[in-house]
Amino acid sequence: MNTVNMSSSEHLKVLREACKKIAPVWPLENFVAVNPYLGHADQTFESTAQTLAKIGGIQMALPLSFYLQKIKEGRITRSDLQSVLSKKSKEKTKVDDFIALIESATDETTGVSTVATLADVATQVTGKDWNRFATSRMSTWAASYFDDGQASWAAADQQAALFSAWKFEAEVDNTTDIMGLKGFRKAAKSLPGDPVKAMDAALQILEMQANMLPIYLHRLLLSVGGWSAFAARLDWESELNGGKDGKLMEFLIVLLCWEACLFQALDSPKLRVKWLTAKKSMVLTSTPSEINQQLTQKLILQEAFDQAAQREIIQKFKEPKAIKSLSASQVKAQAIFCIDVRSEVYRRNLELVDQGIDTIGFAGFFAFPINYVPIAHDQGVAQCPVLITTGATILEEIPDKKTHEQARKSRTLKHQVQHILKSFRSGAVTCFSFVSPLGLSYLPKLFTDSFGLSRPVPHPDHVGLKDKYMKLKGASLNVATHGNVAAGIPLEQRVQMAKNALNAMSLTSDFAPFVLIVGHGATTVNNPHASGLDCGACGGRSGEPNAKVAAAVLNDRQVRQLLKAENIHIPDTTVFLCCLHDTTTDEVTIFNEQEVPASRANELEELKTSLAKAGHASRTERALRMTTKGKVDDAIMRRSKDWSQVRPEWGLAGCSAFVVAPRFRTKDLDLQGRSFLHSYDWKKDEGFKVLELIMTAPMVVTSWINLQYFASTVDNKNFGSGNKTLHNVTGGVGVLEGFSGDLRVGLPIQSVHDGKNFQHEPIRLKVIIEAPTEAIDAVLEKHSAVRNLCDNEWIHLLAMDDEGMVARRYAGNLLWEEIGAVGV
């Protein structure tokens, strides 16, 4: 059926389905990890790999040479290959024959789609790269339309609807005429002003048939995948807050109209013949029978590599472990860390240097999803996972009102001065005046920045505030009004939040004298993706505000009194300390020392000494993965302030496992900073409500992180952001690689590769849960999205038995298989 015979509503339905295949990407200010395959989670990993390879030239496995090297190293064993071949290969292929086949094969990875857009066809016909030109023009317009305050001069009308803003731009932009598209502006002007009618007109001009439309629309979105993902994020947030989607659909209509206008501007008999051939090819490509045989081989190797990784971690748990927890009287402190893989290194070292400290793993927003408003700010920021909506609005404050007002005025004034200075520096005429007389005054700062004696830019949380104010600021729980928004947390809500958090942490009794709530953030400079190193559970921001709010609530005497009715008795001697773990320097800062009685000063100093020792041990361990010169501590500190450093830390590179079990199961294991660790005791989980929460939130988020690193490794061109040294921030929302092109998504190549070897190897997340498989099945049955992740092999689910051994593997369709003694 020709699309001419389809109604507008039918067109829109197909457009919406295509848009749902595009995963969102968050802006630089809160660059959180996202699963780039999110729209394909209802399909198997293997079928998605075949689809994306055909439509977008996207790879979901590394070249054959990578896996051959792993076979030579012994990482992938013959038994791993045989196990996968017996399941995946239709024919009974022997391991030796398979290895010989791939050794003799030529790696044909091209990254070229078999589905052509009109711009692709026009490029073939004319010899001019119209696809690159179209991407450049779309990106230039989108950067202006979505600009978040970076540009000094507004080019696009941000108040207009997306399609209307583009149409106006296309009608007046002479660039198309200069490049030889004489009829482009006329074609754009002839399009209807209504986006739905314009969509119908564009499809009629391109003469698209219904059976080729889904694959063509998907290909169009992937052709400008970065900006498509950015528009998808706007829809995501709108729907999360009860609104509607539509931004990405309008963007797709713009892409359709661009193709139609290009077709009219270059119309010729040869173009029409080639375009007809391309459309016929779309129909053939959409059939499931066409399989990329070499990709199938790579996917077998990838599966074997994943199985080898499972075998390795299963072996770590092969010895039953007795419970060796300290008695309540022996525990000096309990430290609650984010489940982040970087915390695994610090937690292990902290427990080694001081055996009187127990650590707990929990999502780094600590079950306090707040909207945090810093001093002198009108708007707050969401300090919670992007999967959920924010809760209470919390105002940052200095307890002394006079001092608070001084800090507010100081920060406001500095912001105004900086704004004026920026305008002066970037003005068309004043920029020359700025460089000539004022340029020399920057020399001392340039010198100290270059030699690591100072930071090139202030820490984001410190901008506009003097050090004396930084030490005083905290979070206010008091009910108040901020603009038109209610702020603070009423007492009843504080009690409920405290109860929920402590139950989820399995921490409802035997409280230590000190309980540290340790958020985390990262100290880097000259790094557009800096927020990607902060806490994903806090929306790509530092976990400091959440730690402060959690500690304030749990230190509240009224809250503690009311918690007794919930059978949670917190001793009067217990002090909750709000802390921040800097994952770049491995320093831990305590913010509320003043709440510790003077009589316990020695205990506090002993605790701080242990934190310092753990920091040194962690820096020494992490330095093995980095090129460091001189003393380890000095070298690591230097990296955090070095504006030329492209690898200030490795972030979550290497993340490949998520263990949900009591801490004593992993306490003596060196998991090499590659595992998320969530503390959980199923025997205390009435009705398995906490298990459900873990599997539907932290497990999903950790799979997002793992798959973002996976995708940035196997195909950095499409799902990464390329070379960090070539990045240019655009619109204040993302980066381009160079001066033009599509918005880049994912991680820079420097975040996963050290120049010689991969620091992140593509291994799908292994989730190990200590809980009855019946309880796990119940969660999977209730939540289809979570079940899809497991059934379709986006993650590998394993179950731990009561002796602490990984005994069963999820085989899909709510079935489990026993794991043998060798862990395969």
Side-chain angles (χ1 to χ4, degrees):
M1 180 173 69
N2 193 295
T3 58
V4 175
N5 299 320
M6 294 175 66
S7 66
S8 296
S9 60
E10 289 174 317
H11 285 162
L12 288 173
K13 182 180 179 181
V14 179
L15 257 71
R16 179 170 276 108
E17 289 174 352
C19 290
K20 292 300 180 184
K21 297 182 185 297
I22 302 299
V25 64
W26 270 259
L28 294 176
E29 68 171 352
N30 60 323
F31 187 75
V32 296
V34 63
N35 171 13
Y37 313 113
L38 186 62
H40 301 272
D42 59 340
Q43 304 169 37
T44 67
F45 179 89
E46 185 174 351
S47 64
T48 300
Q50 295 285 353
T51 298
L52 291 179
K54 288 186 291 186
I55 297 178
I58 294 168
Q59 302 301 309
M60 285 180 61
L62 285 173
L64 293 173
S65 57
F66 173 83
Y67 303 101
L68 283 170
Q69 183 61 35
K70 297 304 174 186
I71 293 173
K72 290 176 183 177
E73 293 172 359
R75 288 281 303 279
I76 299 177
T77 66
R78 295 174 62 83
S79 60
D80 294 327
L81 280 169
Q82 188 61 65
S83 175
V84 176
L85 284 170
S86 63
K87 290 189 296 183
K88 300 288 185 180
S89 180
K90 294 180 181 179
E91 302 176 0
K92 293 184 178 180
T93 306
K94 295 182 179 179
V95 173
D96 288 337
D97 293 339
F98 181 76
I99 293 175
L101 180 64
I102 59 176
E103 284 180 333
S104 62
T106 302
D107 205 317
E108 299 174 357
T109 300
T110 61
V112 177
S113 170
T114 58
V115 177
T117 62
L118 190 281
D120 291 327
V121 173
T123 297
Q124 296 171 18
V125 172
T126 65
K128 295 182 178 180
D129 194 344
W130 294 113
N131 208 351
R132 184 176 180 181
F133 174 68
T135 299
S136 175
R137 296 316 303 158
M138 283 303 306
S139 188
T140 299
W141 169 77
S144 178
Y145 183 77
F146 294 120
D147 181 80
D148 193 28
Q150 179 180 342
S152 299
W153 304 323
D157 184 0
Q158 295 180 316
Q159 303 305 313
L162 192 149
F163 177 78
S164 299
W166 170 80
K167 188 173 185 296
F168 176 79
E169 174 81 9
E171 291 174 11
V172 300
D173 182 11
N174 286 313
T175 311
T176 50
D177 287 326
I178 295 171
M179 293 299 295
L181 299 177
K182 298 298 182 182
F184 188 94
R185 289 195 297 149
K186 182 179 178 182
K189 195 168 186 177
S190 66
L191 289 169
D194 179 80
V196 176
K197 293 180 179 178
M199 168 193 65
D200 293 336
L203 290 171
Q204 186 170 2
I205 292 168
L206 295 168
E207 298 180 345
M208 298 299 300
Q209 293 181 9
N211 57 351
M212 63 182 68
L213 194 55
I215 197 169
Y216 171 64
L217 293 175
H218 190 190
R219 171 72 178 92
L220 268 186
L221 288 168
L222 291 175
S223 68
V224 196
W227 287 111
S228 297
F230 186 85
R233 193 268 308 176
L234 297 176
D235 285 341
W236 174 284
E237 292 188 341
S238 176
E239 292 180 292
L240 186 65
N241 292 305
K244 297 181 179 179
D245 62 0
K247 290 290 186 184
L248 182 54
M249 290 180 65
E250 273 200 73
F251 186 73
L252 179 52
I253 291 172
V254 167
L255 297 178
L256 266 175
C257 291
W258 225 104
E259 291 261 293
C261 292
L262 182 65
F263 183 63
Q264 290 177 299
L266 297 175
D267 194 7
S268 70
K270 187 176 182 181
L271 179 63
R272 286 181 174 272
V273 170
K274 286 280 189 181
W275 179 229
L276 181 60
T277 302
K279 289 188 289 185
K280 289 179 179 178
S281 177
M282 289 181 203
V283 178
L284 294 174
T285 303
S286 64
T287 59
S289 59
E290 187 180 322
I291 298 294
N292 183 328
Q293 291 300 328
Q294 188 181 90
L295 177 56
T296 300
Q297 293 171 356
K298 289 182 182 180
L299 293 174
I300 289 173
L301 289 165
Q302 177 61 50
E303 181 71 22
F305 190 42
D306 279 312
Q307 185 157 301
Q310 290 178 48
R311 173 171 43 77
E312 289 171 1
I313 198 166
I314 289 170
Q315 288 296 303
K316 288 181 180 291
F317 291 96
K318 67 179 180 179
E319 296 295 334
K321 298 186 67 176
I323 298 177
K324 296 186 293 185
S325 298
L326 300 174
S327 66
S329 61
Q330 291 175 307
V331 178
K332 297 185 294 185
Q334 294 155 326
I336 306 165
F337 284 83
C338 182
I339 60 176
D340 189 287
V341 297
R342 292 165 292 183
S343 298
E344 185 271 328
V345 177
Y346 191 92
R347 289 173 62 185
R348 172 164 37 82
N349 283 306
L350 181 59
E351 290 168 338
L352 282 172
V353 300
D354 193 333
Q355 296 184 6
I357 298 177
D358 276 345
T359 69
I360 297 169
F362 191 74
F365 74 113
F366 307 113
F368 285 83
I370 59 174
N371 177 47
Y372 195 70
V373 185
I375 292 173
H377 283 62
D378 294 327
Q379 301 292 327
V381 291
Q383 294 278 155
C384 60
V386 296
L387 293 170
I388 64 176
T389 56
T390 58
T393 294
I394 301 295
L395 305 180
E396 185 176 66
E397 71 164 13
I398 296 173
D400 181 77
K401 292 184 178 180
K402 183 178 179 181
T403 307
H404 177 88
E405 186 61 18
Q406 289 173 345
R408 186 193 66 79
K409 289 181 178 179
S410 174
R411 180 173 250 182
T412 301
L413 179 61
K414 287 187 177 181
H415 173 74
Q416 292 170 343
V417 170
Q418 287 296 324
H419 181 72
I420 293 170
L421 190 61
K422 178 185 175 183
S423 300
F424 184 65
R425 189 168 51 196
S426 57
V429 177
T430 54
C431 61
F432 297 102
S433 303
F434 177 84
V435 172
S436 298
L438 297 180
L440 289 175
S441 66
Y442 278 73
L443 281 177
K445 185 75 164 69
L446 184 63
F447 177 85
T448 56
D449 288 348
S450 299
F451 287 92
L453 302 175
S454 59
R455 286 177 56 94
V457 294
H459 191 285
D461 293 337
H462 300 182
V463 174
L465 286 181
K466 298 177 182 178
D467 288 342
K468 65 178 182 180
Y469 297 139
M470 289 298 301
K471 297 175 182 178
L472 299 174
K473 67 188 183 77
S476 173
L477 303 181
N478 297 327
V479 176
T481 302
H482 181 71
N484 297 322
V485 179
I489 308 177
L491 180 59
E492 297 79 8
Q493 189 178 351
R494 295 181 204 179
V495 174
Q496 188 62 46
M497 294 176 80
K499 174 190 171 184
N500 292 343
L502 294 173
N503 278 326
M505 294 174 187
S506 299
L507 181 62
T508 56
S509 61
D510 298 328
F511 293 91
F514 290 120
V515 180
L516 286 69
I517 302 178
V518 191
H520 70 92
T523 300
T524 63
V525 294
N526 194 26
N527 182 12
H529 290 92
S531 62
L533 299 177
D534 282 334
C535 181
C538 299
R541 299 180 174 90
S542 164
E544 178 185 332
N546 301 78
K548 287 182 174 179
V549 171
V553 169
L554 293 167
N555 281 330
D556 188 324
R557 297 295 172 183
Q558 288 181 287
V559 170
R560 293 190 183 190
Q561 184 62 35
L562 293 172
L563 280 175
K564 292 178 181 179
E566 305 291 343
N567 202 28
I568 299 175
H569 299 270
I570 303 175
D572 292 339
T573 53
T574 294
V575 179
F576 285 83
L577 299 175
C578 54
C579 311
L580 182 70
H581 173 208
D582 187 326
T583 56
T584 310
T585 64
D586 276 315
E587 295 176 304
V588 170
T589 304
I590 302 175
F591 294 106
N592 61 337
E593 293 182 31
Q594 70 278 3
E595 295 190 40
V596 179
S599 60
R600 297 175 60 187
N602 290 338
E603 294 176 52
L604 180 62
E605 284 305 311
E606 185 180 342
L607 174 62
K608 291 166 70 175
T609 298
S610 297
L611 293 172
K613 287 180 179 179
H616 172 72
S618 300
R619 287 189 289 273
T620 303
E621 180 177 333
R622 291 196 304 110
L624 297 174
R625 293 179 68 186
M626 298 176 172
T627 303
T628 56
K629 297 180 181 179
K631 293 182 179 180
V632 169
D633 289 342
D634 293 341
I636 294 294
M637 298 300 175
R638 220 169 23 245
R639 294 178 83 93
S640 71
K641 296 186 290 186
D642 186 355
W643 62 358
S644 66
Q645 181 55 252
V646 293
R647 300 178 181 93
E649 63 160 279
W650 280 117
L652 294 98
C655 63
S656 59
F658 179 35
V659 183
V660 183
R663 173 56 175 162
F664 69 84
R665 298 294 191 196
T666 57
K667 193 167 186 175
D668 296 330
L669 298 181
D670 181 357
L671 297 172
Q672 302 175 315
R674 301 176 189 276
S675 298
F676 302 95
L677 301 180
H678 198 302
S679 298
Y680 171 69
D681 186 347
W682 70 267
K683 294 174 183 177
K684 295 181 180 179
D685 185 12
E686 185 177 348
F688 294 103
K689 293 179 181 178
V690 175
L691 177 64
E692 181 179 2
L693 181 64
I694 292 172
M695 290 182 65
T696 55
M699 190 175 88
V700 174
V701 171
T702 52
S703 77
W704 279 25
I705 296 168
N706 169 263
L707 288 169
Q708 184 189 59
Y709 273 85
F710 182 101
S712 296
T713 301
V714 295
D715 194 341
N716 199 268
K717 177 178 177 291
N718 286 291
F719 284 142
S721 59
N723 189 340
K724 201 172 191 178
T725 63
L726 301 178
H727 284 174
N728 282 303
V729 175
T730 182
V733 298
V735 297
L736 305 181
E737 189 180 14
F739 69 92
S740 185
D742 190 18
L743 188 75
R744 299 307 304 265
V745 299
L747 301 161
I749 190 65
Q750 286 89 349
S751 292
V752 297
H753 198 280
D754 65 9
K756 294 182 179 179
N757 301 299
F758 285 106
Q759 285 294 318
H760 182 86
E761 294 178 330
I763 298 171
R764 280 168 282 179
L765 190 69
K766 307 173 291 291
V767 179
I768 301 173
I769 302 177
E770 182 179 350
T773 53
E774 296 80 8
I776 298 173
D777 287 345
V779 177
L780 296 178
E781 280 191 288
K782 184 177 179 181
H783 300 277
S784 59
V786 178
R787 182 173 175 177
N788 283 339
L789 288 174
C790 302
D791 279 10
N792 294 327
E793 299 185 320
W794 294 101
I795 62 176
H796 296 293
L797 187 58
L798 305 163
M800 183 182 289
D801 63 19
D802 288 340
E803 294 183 340
M805 297 181 68
V806 182
R808 307 180 79 185
R809 178 190 289 111
Y810 183 73
N813 199 29
L814 303 180
L815 299 174
W816 294 80
E817 60 185 20
E818 298 296 325
I819 294 174
V822 293
V824 295

